[in-house]
Amino acid sequence: MTRHFRLLFAPLLLAIPLLLAGPDAGVAQPTADSTDKDVLYVPTAPSVVRTMLEVAGVTERDVVYDLGSGDGRMPIMAAKEFGARGIGLEIDSALVAEARGEAQVQGVSDKVKFRQKDLFSADLSKATVVTLYLGPAINVRLRPKLLRELDPGDRIVSHDFRMGEWAPDSTVNAGRGNTGNETVYLWIVPEKVHKDLRDTPMSRRQTDGAVPRSTPSSSSPSSSSNRVRQTTASLTEPTGSAAKDRIRANRTVRSASAP
C-alpha cells in the first residue's frame, strides 16, 4: 500500500468504529444540566433585581440565597451594592462557572459563593433572604421547605410568581423588565404557620392554573384579591417582636459564618 493510498483512506478507516457503534456514537449526549431542569433560565433585568433586594430590605447583615441563580446577578448585586453575603444555587454547571467568573470580575468573590445544587436538597437554614424566579408550581412545591428551614422574620421575594394560597405581605410593580411589566412579591416568615401551608402543597395541576403570573385579572380584581386574603387570613400570624429580636440575633451569627 503506497503512502498516498494510506493517507487517502485513513479517515474512512477511522470512521468505521463509529459507524458500527450506531448513529449516536461520537455525538455529544445531553447532560443532566440540559435535561433535568424544571425551569427555563430567563435572566432578570438588573432594575428588577435591584427592586427585589430593596423590597426585601437587604443590608450588610443579610445572607441572600438565590434559588436558580443563573449567571449570578442577584447575589453579586446583593454583595456589591447592598453589602450582603450571598449564595447562588443553580443546577446548570455552565451557569455556575459563569457566575463564579463574574463574581471575580466584580470583586465580590469573597462575599458570594455559587453551588451546583438541586433546590430541594439544599440546606436553606442560613438564609435571611431567599429570592426566586421559578414559577408558580415550583414556588408552591418549595413553600413547605422554606417555612420549615427559615426563621420568623426571614424574607422570601419572588419575581412575577406567587406562592399558592399564601398571600404576599407586599406586592410591588417592578416596571418594565425582560418579559414586559413585572411584579415583585414579598413574604415575611411568620412565627406561626398553619400546617396546610407548611406540609401540604397543592398539586402541580392546581398550581399551574390557580396562581397568577401577576396581579388578579381585570374582570373582578377586588373580589379576587379579597378571596385570596380571606383564604390566607387564618393560615399565618403577623411576625411579633420576639421573632424580630430572634432574627436580628440570627443575622449577626449568619453574616459571620456564611457563605
Side-chain angles (χ1 to χ4, degrees), residues 159-180:
H159 174 192
D160 269 349
F161 301 108
R162 294 178 57 157
M163 205 163 290
E165 68 268 39
W166 186 16
D169 290 278
S170 180
T171 301
V172 175
N173 186 335
R176 297 288 296 180
N178 290 336
T179 60

Side-chain angles (χ1 to χ4, degrees), residues 45-76:
S47 61
V48 179
V49 172
R50 188 173 291 104
T51 297
M52 293 175 72
L53 295 169
E54 289 173 349
V55 167
V58 171
T59 72
E60 68 279 357
R61 297 178 297 175
D62 282 307
V63 180
V64 177
Y65 273 54
D66 188 28
L67 308 190
S69 54
D71 62 7
R73 59 186 62 194
M74 181 75 69
I76 289 172

